[in-house]
Amino acid sequence: MLITFTDGSQAEFPAGTTPQDILKERKRPGDPLVVGARVDGQPVDLTRPLHQDTRLEFLTFDDPEGRDIYRHSSAHLMAQAVRELYPGAQLGIGPALEDSFYYDIQLPEFLNPEDLAKIEARMAEIVQRKLRIERQDVSKEEAAKLFRERGENLKLELLDEMDDAISVYRQGDFVDLCRGPHLPTTGYIKHFKLLSLAGAYWRGDESKPMLQRIYGTSYPTAEALQEHLHRYEEAKKRDHRRLGRELDLFSFHPEAPGTPFWHPKGLVLMEQAIQYWRQMHQRAGYQEIRTPLILSDVLWRMSGHYDHYRENMYFSRMEDRDYAVKPMNCPSGLLVYKTYQFSYRDLPVRFAELGHVHRFEKSGELHGLIRVRAFTQDDAHIYCTPDQIESEVVNLIGLIFEIYNTFGFHEVRVELSTQPEKSIGSAEMWRRAEKALENALAKADLPYELNPGEGAFYGPKIDFHIKDSLGRSWQCGTIQMDFSMPERFELEYIGADGERHRPVMIHRAILGSLERFIGLLIEHYAGDFPLWLAPVQARILPITDKQHDYARALRERFQAAGLRVEADLRNEKVGYKIRQAELEKVPLMLVVGGREAESGAVSLRVKGQGDQGSRTPDEVIALMREAVDQKRSLLKEDEH
RNA sequence: GCUGGCGUAGCUCAGUCGGUAGAGCGGCUGAUUUGUAAUCAGCUGGUCGGGGGUUCGAAUCCCUUCGCCAGCUCCA
């Protein structure tokens, strides 16, 4: 048979030769570890015999598929160790993740974090055994018999739903139902660490029993593993919950779980973000409104929230009338729309609302600022004709990316979700709306993922996701078409024909939740905010108390220029004040001693970059004003 | 909500076998008058998350409750 390699070269091999055999002939010293092969585009085991002419590629750990093979075999290794240590263990599923792996296992006893070390030790031992990992294609009956004998009921359940093309992988006494591919032997797995334990419902179903999930990661070199662990530690340091306390931005209290208490410095972030947001929205043709927090249940019954969202709502009863705290702004926003009689000439109407909404989230869901029970949505509703959808969405996408850019977010994942099985509105309406969203995405030249059937029941949507420091992805922006509300609330506008028409409604948010967005900002900048956002933009550090009057005068001058400046008048040495300002991540320090007081100057120090020499206060003010106005960092290019 | 883990001073954390609760940082007071990441000294600090129980005696053991953390589930 004729094998074609990635470099275009070709060679003859006898049928039945495995990629591993071929690799032995072609390998040169210093080549990276090959963990699998790709045959005509399909990843396969290195030990899979080849029988016909093919294109052959070797996969290393640097290929995503290679990494998956490595991690997947690591998961099997871990499962084998657990089966050996806990004979009653039943395996669920154990896939590779982006940079780790896990296995869900049912055990008669609960594991402690200390047990992980035991499992790791056994894994190391199995690696030493250098067991061959062998694939076997079996029939469904054979597989069922095998797992029945081994008491693996969970595997039998999986098997039930599978077609007849079943493969199992063996390494020593261990067998797992698996599609593969895998490493040739357990000896390949060089460096691994088990990371954590957690519960996970079998097949993700709340009604099914909970299994124990063990997370781990593995790498071909010790350095790569160390680097992974180090990265994780660094990420934890920029966790917004930790920085929120350290930088005195906000706090949480058991008296109101899941709802942040903003401290003065944190509120500066919020207010700056809002100021900028208002400016952008005014420019984009929005009018801001504000509607009540508590509204009659009659409204919520009409909007459908009472039927679909009651579990997440807070209720109150006064004078025998029922009220609900709003979980969304749209119903009350619609009441505002209905006070007008709009003509087609008025459309699109864009009403924005920074609405404070309350949603009851299950206690286990709460997560710092990122998942809360009360938050401020940067909401807006656009009412337009069907013909205007596309251009509105194009403009909106532009606005969204401009705002994300200003905040330093350049990595955004975009998803388009289309009509779900259960939905309202005509097929024609859906087709048109989906097309409009697709066209808008194409015009914006945006790559996106398609989520067929994942739209809301009332319309298709585009979602924008941003990642947090630990790589978790969070939805911020959203553009949702809504065919339901205009019907329910009988919205109208007067068309050119003088008749009443129903407008299309677009719900949209850009930051999503201001609270969440600020949490993401904190992590994104690791607390080193660009000057325009920094809660304290500069701190004046007098060297002795003889400069206190000068420091106070300076402070006034900077504050008069609209800058957020403090003076550290404590009886401490300047080194101490500098250290503290650095730790508090104050971007600028203005050191003033006898010399500066004498000459009316300041000694400028930039956080993380040290002494910048003497400047006049006016020079520093001009520098700062410019950086603030341009929303960029001072004296250095924004790294984010 | 579910599974597991955790909760000791404002913060970070120690506390052995059940036997009078500790350190560093912080805060306060004083001395020092300081030149680019920690000056020195003294003082202060606690319902050991809350409640109940076992015990002569509980931070420590048990029950319960609240909160936090990881994951799962959910996310109109």
Side-chain angles (χ1 to χ4, degrees), chain A residues 474-544:
Chain A
W474 299 95
Q475 183 196 311
C476 290
T478 186
I479 302 174
Q480 307 189 353
M481 311 300 307
D482 189 341
F483 309 136
S484 164
M485 290 290 176
E487 291 290 335
R488 282 174 184 266
F489 283 79
E490 299 177 332
L491 297 192
E492 292 171 344
Y493 68 92
I494 309 299
D497 54 6
E499 298 293 318
R500 296 168 186 276
H501 296 273
R502 190 127 293 165
V504 173
M505 182 180 187
I506 304 173
H507 305 250
R508 47 113 284 183
I510 296 177
L511 310 179
S513 143
L514 242 18
E515 285 77 358
R516 165 183 298 180
F517 193 77
I518 286 171
L520 293 170
L521 265 185
I522 293 168
E523 303 200 345
H524 183 63
Y525 286 116
D528 282 314
F529 300 108
L531 202 66
W532 71 284
L533 288 170
V536 178
Q537 294 170 319
R539 186 173 288 166
I540 300 163
L541 311 178
I543 286 175
T544 77

Side-chain angles (χ1 to χ4, degrees), chain A residues 393-443:
Chain A
V393 173
V394 169
N395 290 338
L396 199 37
I397 290 172
L399 181 65
I400 289 174
F401 273 82
E402 184 175 354
I403 290 177
Y404 287 169
N405 258 317
T406 302
F407 284 107
F409 289 108
H410 305 298
E411 258 185 71
V412 182
R413 206 178 78 236
V414 181
E415 291 178 5
L416 171 64
S417 302
T418 58
Q419 185 170 16
E421 272 179 38
K422 198 183 143 229
S423 62
I424 64 128
S426 70
E428 163 67 11
M429 236 166 156
W430 275 90
R431 199 193 54 76
R432 250 174 109 174
E434 287 172 3
K435 192 75 198 147
L437 294 185
E438 268 173 43
N439 288 348
L441 285 165
K443 279 198 180 151

Side-chain angles (χ1 to χ4, degrees), chain A residues 291-532:
Chain A
T291 65
L293 260 65
I294 297 175
L295 300 111
S296 163
D297 71 324
V298 174
L299 179 74
W300 302 111
R301 286 176 200 276
M302 177 141 77
S303 69
H305 286 87
Y306 196 83
D307 290 333
H308 293 101
Y309 203 61
R310 196 174 359 169
E311 250 101 83
N312 293 287
M313 291 170 67
Y314 291 90
F315 292 97
S316 161
R317 188 176 173 82
M318 301 299 265
E319 283 185 339
D320 292 331
R321 289 189 58 189
D322 289 312
Y323 297 87
V325 183
K326 67 174 174 183
M328 290 180 205
N329 304 301
C330 25
S332 49
L334 287 165
L335 297 181
V336 175
Y337 179 94
K338 281 174 74 76
T339 62
Y340 297 91
Q341 190 170 44
F342 286 116
S343 118
Y344 70 98
R345 295 173 196 276
D346 299 315
L347 303 189
V349 169
R350 307 183 189 93
F351 283 144
E353 175 170 16
L354 292 169
H356 198 229
V357 297
H358 287 70
R359 298 179 183 178
F360 182 80
E361 303 284 355
K362 294 184 205 164
S363 56
E365 295 305 327
L366 305 176
H367 180 86
L369 294 176
I370 287 184
R371 193 79 188 262
V372 289
R373 284 183 176 154
F375 59 95
T376 314
Q377 269 188 315
D378 69 317
D379 211 350
H381 299 97
I382 299 171
Y383 308 91
C384 62
T385 66
D387 292 341
Q388 291 170 328
I389 294 175
E390 188 177 316
S391 68
E392 277 304 300
V393 173
V394 169
N395 290 338
L396 199 37
I397 290 172
L399 181 65
I400 289 174
F401 273 82
E402 184 175 354
I403 290 177
Y404 287 169
N405 258 317
T406 302
F407 284 107
F409 289 108
H410 305 298
E411 258 185 71
V412 182
R413 206 178 78 236
V414 181
E415 291 178 5
L416 171 64
S417 302
T418 58
Q419 185 170 16
E421 272 179 38
K422 198 183 143 229
S423 62
I424 64 128
S426 70
E428 163 67 11
M429 236 166 156
W430 275 90
R431 199 193 54 76
R432 250 174 109 174
E434 287 172 3
K435 192 75 198 147
L437 294 185
E438 268 173 43
N439 288 348
L441 285 165
K443 279 198 180 151
D445 201 17
L446 261 187
Y448 62 92
E449 288 167 40
L450 188 64
N451 285 339
E454 291 292 308
F457 76 88
Y458 51 74
K461 59 174 184 172
I462 302 174
D463 290 327
F464 300 80
H465 297 255
I466 291 175
K467 273 188 182 178
D468 75 4
S469 67
L470 292 171
R472 292 176 287 209
S473 184
W474 299 95
Q475 183 196 311
C476 290
T478 186
I479 302 174
Q480 307 189 353
M481 311 300 307
D482 189 341
F483 309 136
S484 164
M485 290 290 176
E487 291 290 335
R488 282 174 184 266
F489 283 79
E490 299 177 332
L491 297 192
E492 292 171 344
Y493 68 92
I494 309 299
D497 54 6
E499 298 293 318
R500 296 168 186 276
H501 296 273
R502 190 127 293 165
V504 173
M505 182 180 187
I506 304 173
H507 305 250
R508 47 113 284 183
I510 296 177
L511 310 179
S513 143
L514 242 18
E515 285 77 358
R516 165 183 298 180
F517 193 77
I518 286 171
L520 293 170
L521 265 185
I522 293 168
E523 303 200 345
H524 183 63
Y525 286 116
D528 282 314
F529 300 108
L531 202 66
W532 71 284

Side-chain angles (χ1 to χ4, degrees), chain A residues 73 75-84 91 103 126 129 131-134 146-147 150 152 155 168-177 182 186:
Chain A
S73 294
H76 277 211
L77 170 68
M78 178 171 79
Q80 183 177 9
V82 172
R83 285 272 296 183
E84 289 186 8
L91 303 179
Y103 218 118
I126 299 170
R129 290 184 217 155
L131 298 173
R132 292 184 54 184
I133 304 176
E134 291 170 303
L146 180 66
F147 290 108
R150 295 175 62 87
E152 299 247 38
K155 291 291 179 190
V168 298
Y169 277 79
R170 290 177 184 277
Q171 52 199 56
D173 298 333
F174 177 81
V175 187
D176 199 357
L177 176 68
H182 278 280
T186 58

Side-chain angles (χ1 to χ4, degrees), chain A residues 18-25 45-47 58 184-185 188:
Chain A
T18 68
Q20 198 169 31
D21 298 331
I22 297 170
L23 180 66
K24 270 185 201 139
E25 277 183 34
D45 303 316
L46 278 175
T47 53
F58 290 113
T185 76
Y188 273 62

